[in-house]
Amino acid sequence: MEKVADGVWLLRGDFRKAMNVYFLEDEGGVTMFDAGTKAMVKKVRAAAEQLGGLKRVVLGHAHGDHRGTAPSLGVPVYCHPDEVADAESDDWRWRYLDLSQLPVAPVRWIYPLLLRRWDGGGVKIAGTVSEGEEIAGFRVIHFPGHAPGLIGLWRESDRLAIVSDVVYFVDSARLRPLPHGEASVPHPAWGWDHDKARESVRKLAALEPAVVCAGHEEPLRGTNLRETLERAADK
Ligand SMILES: [Zn+2]
């Protein structure tokens, strides 16, 4: 586990250690943001135990590689209202997923196997969280696009943004990392509405974050992240 900021821990697991789960210190225990893949259940349990015990899970969005451990942890699970139906659905192939848009054939073929393996299935949602609500000292922000009910968490005091798949630091269509320090809007093959996904990256840029912790790969830090993110949104 890696401490990424005051009271915030990152656990990286599964495929190329690219699946991120965040633990936020929360009144003696931890709240978990995003739930990784099914293969991470044991590691997630052990990490939460070490941090004082898991109180609840908040899903950044409902895709299988972000809800994978959620049904197995025995704590209440929350998400945005626009994400509830997809989170509770047992289908690993979400309704707007369109792998035919991926340009590289082997990548197109391997994803159904990966997505099925990563997913833990549908999870009962205990309640919802919307823009402006407070979670463990962070403010919830709605970033629709990659998923309709995609949310991120924002902490003004250290300009820390934890944003699930609002932005990628990896070329998911070719399964290789982006050059260090670069970001991109997630490929439309995964997304619900690509124009809205671009707008959401601009919304994140406008916050002028100092650190962006995404759903995959290492956090992005720097003094000019607004510029980096605006460039990604325009590409
Ligand atoms: Zn996703």
Side-chain angles (χ1 to χ4, degrees):
M1 245 190 314
E2 179 191 333
K3 187 171 187 177
V4 292
D6 201 29
V8 181
W9 300 83
L10 164 60
L11 178 72
R12 307 182 60 192
D14 207 316
F15 186 67
R16 293 174 42 236
K17 285 232 178 293
M19 307 301 185
N20 294 344
V21 166
Y22 296 90
F23 294 101
L24 316 172
E25 288 175 12
D26 192 0
E27 292 169 14
V30 280
T31 283
M32 185 167 119
F33 183 70
D34 264 347
T37 63
K38 194 165 120 185
M40 293 167 70
V41 169
K42 249 173 127 177
K43 272 192 178 167
V44 160
R45 274 209 196 112
E49 218 40 62
Q50 204 184 316
L51 293 169
L54 188 62
K55 303 183 105 171
R56 58 182 167 171
V57 173
V58 177
L59 300 179
H61 65 301
H63 295 170
D65 53 329
H66 294 258
R67 71 174 184 179
T69 66
S72 310
L73 299 175
V75 296
V77 180
Y78 298 82
C79 69
H80 188 275
D82 297 347
E83 211 58 16
V84 173
D86 292 336
E88 293 192 333
S89 158
D90 261 326
D91 202 353
W92 59 268
R93 186 188 277 274
W94 55 92
R95 59 197 160 85
Y96 46 83
L97 178 72
D98 180 10
L99 295 174
S100 72
Q101 293 190 50
L102 294 174
V104 180
V107 175
R108 219 156 43 225
W109 302 329
I110 197 168
Y111 262 107
L113 306 173
L114 291 174
L115 292 172
R116 201 175 309 152
R117 193 173 65 86
W118 290 340
D119 193 11
V123 57
K124 183 81 197 121
I125 297 301
T128 60
V129 287
S130 299
E131 172 136 339
E133 284 181 53
E134 184 97 7
I135 293 173
F138 287 78
R139 185 158 52 90
V140 174
I141 302 194
H142 188 202
F143 290 110
H146 174 70
L150 181 57
I151 52 166
L153 301 177
W154 170 246
R155 190 166 67 186
E156 183 86 37
S157 59
D158 55 354
R159 314 204 73 76
L160 174 65
I162 310 177
V163 298
S164 199
D165 283 350
V166 173
V167 71
Y168 275 176
F169 306 139
V170 62
D171 180 349
S172 59
R174 289 175 187 79
L175 282 174
R176 65 183 183 208
L178 290 174
H180 186 74
E182 274 188 33
S184 71
V185 179
H187 194 278
W190 322 114
W192 168 67
D193 184 321
H194 198 60
D195 288 337
K196 287 197 171 69
R198 280 183 199 282
E199 266 171 51
S200 284
V201 173
R202 286 192 192 99
K203 185 174 179 180
L204 173 61
L207 293 170
E208 302 194 337
V211 187
V212 176
C213 297
H216 307 284
E217 308 295 326
E218 285 285 334
L220 190 66
R221 300 170 191 273
T223 48
N224 56 350
L225 294 190
R226 177 172 194 156
E227 210 180 291
T228 303
L229 293 165
E230 278 173 353
R231 213 182 315 126
D234 290 340
K235 222 180 267 170

